[in-house]
Amino acid sequence: MSVPSHLFGLFVFAAALTVLLVRFLVPRPVGMSDNGDGFRVLCGAGIPWKGKPEGFVRLAYTAPAGECDATYLLTQSWFARIARSIGGVLGLESTLSLVVLGVLTSVLAAAAVASIVVGLPYSRRVRGFAAVGLLLVVADSAFFGYFASVLGEGAAFLGLLLAVGGLLVAARPGWWRYAGLAVLLFGGVVAVNAKVQTLMILPLLALAVLLVRPAGVRGVKRWLPVMFVIGALAGGTAYAQQTVEPAKLPDGSLAARPGDDSREINMFNTIFLTIVDGRHDTGADLAALGLPASFGQYAGNGWWHPKPATLDPEYPKYREQISRRNVVEYFATHPLRTTEILNRAAGDLLTARPPYLGSFGRSAGFAPETQEYRVPIVSTVTKLLSPLGFFALLPIWALLAWRGWKTRREAVGITLGFVLAVAVGQFALAALGDGLENVKHQVIALFCTVLGVALALVTFARRERSE
């Protein structure tokens, strides 16, 4: 007798949750240490915090809750605030326990894996193998620690997993479709608002929602729920972005849009760390950017360097050149150099883990910045490929594009197109528009890439559903 889909989904959820909780807690909890940006998540969770980069994971924050005007929206703050409430109910002494946060996000990750597996139109055997592949991605040491951390990437992973599961389930008929759209809406809002850089996911997800539909559903029944979800995604994002205070720009004025406060900083780092890096023709690069030759002394000096170009008396005169338009024009007119930068960024993406983010609390007895390798399979393979740069990354993306095109009339093909588009978009943003913490800032692109590989491999199986 065949097991109903909802019971099969519950079994997958229970199994996935068990695996993730054991992976998280045994023999001791693991997370991801603060790179210095954790104050943003903590502020959003109502915990004023000023801290420097740490080599250990702070598993419990004991600073009292208080007034904190968040200026940067990170949906990891939402989960941290929920974890705070759960900790209060449990009577914990800490204001925020990352162990509670890790358990909460593990529950959501297990639910996301179950929704993806239920939505795949293949036999139970194939979907069982798919569940194993998905868990190898989610539990990999390059990604899992972000769930129990005060960094924003963990929420992006969760949101993307839920959005992918929602897309696949929404292609099923009956009430499954509406359940899938609800999961997609929740995951979409979380993913889109995970960081400023993930706002670009919104139009891609909206397009994917438009394309996915159960067979035989037409007219109002097809378009009304879809338009409601897209409207709710856009409206929810607009509302969420209004819940934070305007950030101050480097000149002291208030930002008008999300990310405006870091735009000059990002372009500055792109210019002086990525383009004018001291290893190429510094004079020619400065001339192409409209900057004086005297700025060559700042090659390789980022915004936070002890001696940045911002301290130069001439900087105010050339500040307009530290712009997105100027950087884009440089990349467009220097294709060989741009290709070299992208190739290096591809290596950063495949490297997977920055060495300065530790996995353990101070009481674990390890040295600062020690990393765990409980589930290292995916990230080990990608790191081995990292010296190849584009020569490794482009074939992987080609696999996703090929399998997506072969299954383009099915939800799995549309989903592959979605994760590939997010991966490419996140890769380009980090490679050409940041210049700092290159490996860490490529981790969302890597997550989408390996998630896509797990789904692409499933498409080689014969399409069927045994209910």
Side-chain angles (χ1 to χ4, degrees), residues 215-304:
V217 177
R218 295 181 177 85
V220 174
K221 287 186 177 181
R222 175 185 180 183
W223 295 111
L224 186 60
V226 166
M227 298 312 295
F228 172 80
V229 168
I230 292 175
L233 271 173
T237 296
Y239 174 77
Q241 293 295 329
Q242 295 299 316
T243 61
V244 295
E245 298 293 324
K248 283 188 177 182
L249 299 175
D251 63 4
S253 60
L254 296 179
R257 296 179 300 274
D260 280 356
D261 59 312
S262 58
R263 184 165 298 152
E264 180 182 352
I265 297 173
N266 289 340
M267 293 304 100
F268 184 96
N269 287 330
T270 298
I271 290 173
F272 288 100
L273 294 176
T274 302
I275 299 174
V276 185
D277 58 3
R279 297 190 295 270
H280 296 81
D281 191 339
T282 297
D285 287 337
L286 288 169
L289 291 162
L291 297 172
S294 62
F295 277 17
Q297 63 183 304
Y298 306 114
N301 295 2
W303 183 271
W304 290 282

Side-chain angles (χ1 to χ4, degrees), residues 80-408:
R81 190 174 285 273
I82 295 171
R84 267 190 58 197
S85 300
I86 295 173
V89 172
L90 296 176
L92 301 182
E93 294 182 1
S94 59
T95 309
L96 170 64
S97 167
L98 292 192
V99 174
V100 174
L101 177 61
V103 171
L104 171 65
T105 49
S106 293
V107 171
L108 292 172
V113 168
S115 67
I116 294 173
V117 171
V118 167
L120 288 171
Y122 299 95
S123 68
R124 291 276 164 79
R125 182 187 297 272
V126 171
R127 285 188 280 170
F129 284 117
V132 173
L134 290 167
L135 285 172
L136 286 176
V137 171
V138 174
D140 191 89
S141 299
F143 309 124
F144 190 79
Y146 285 101
F147 293 141
S149 78
V150 290
L151 303 176
E153 285 79 4
F157 302 155
L158 285 175
L160 286 164
L161 284 169
L162 289 164
V164 166
L167 283 171
L168 293 170
V169 175
R172 298 188 61 183
W175 69 270
W176 281 107
R177 183 191 185 204
Y178 301 102
L181 290 174
V183 171
L184 184 152
L185 176 57
F186 173 67
V189 171
V190 170
V192 169
N193 296 283
K195 303 178 69 175
V196 169
Q197 294 87 342
T198 56
L199 288 170
M200 54 80 67
I201 295 175
L202 178 58
L204 302 176
L205 186 56
L207 177 61
V209 175
L210 283 172
L211 295 175
V212 168
R213 70 179 178 91
V217 177
R218 295 181 177 85
V220 174
K221 287 186 177 181
R222 175 185 180 183
W223 295 111
L224 186 60
V226 166
M227 298 312 295
F228 172 80
V229 168
I230 292 175
L233 271 173
T237 296
Y239 174 77
Q241 293 295 329
Q242 295 299 316
T243 61
V244 295
E245 298 293 324
K248 283 188 177 182
L249 299 175
D251 63 4
S253 60
L254 296 179
R257 296 179 300 274
D260 280 356
D261 59 312
S262 58
R263 184 165 298 152
E264 180 182 352
I265 297 173
N266 289 340
M267 293 304 100
F268 184 96
N269 287 330
T270 298
I271 290 173
F272 288 100
L273 294 176
T274 302
I275 299 174
V276 185
D277 58 3
R279 297 190 295 270
H280 296 81
D281 191 339
T282 297
D285 287 337
L286 288 169
L289 291 162
L291 297 172
S294 62
F295 277 17
Q297 63 183 304
Y298 306 114
N301 295 2
W303 183 271
W304 290 282
H305 190 274
K307 188 185 175 184
T310 53
L311 300 180
D312 194 292
E314 294 290 296
Y315 183 77
K317 184 189 302 184
Y318 294 97
R319 187 180 176 197
E320 289 186 357
Q321 300 302 106
I322 313 298
S323 67
R324 183 177 294 171
R325 178 176 181 179
N326 197 25
V327 168
V328 169
E329 287 179 355
Y330 175 88
F331 287 136
T333 55
H334 296 75
L336 292 180
R337 184 70 192 287
T338 302
T339 302
E340 177 190 342
I341 291 169
L342 290 173
N343 182 62
R344 186 176 66 199
D348 291 334
L349 181 151
L350 294 168
T351 299
R353 301 180 76 179
Y356 51 84
L357 294 180
S359 302
F360 299 100
R362 187 180 299 272
S363 62
F366 297 105
E369 300 180 353
T370 298
Q371 297 182 327
E372 56 90 2
Y373 293 90
R374 294 179 184 175
V375 186
I377 296 174
V378 173
S379 54
T380 297
V381 172
T382 63
K383 188 171 184 178
L384 289 173
L385 295 173
S386 62
L388 299 176
F390 258 154
F391 291 100
L393 183 60
L394 289 181
I396 295 173
W397 283 350
L399 169 67
L400 305 192
W402 171 48
R403 298 312 300 171
W405 179 256
K406 292 286 288 186
T407 56
R408 63 190 180 276

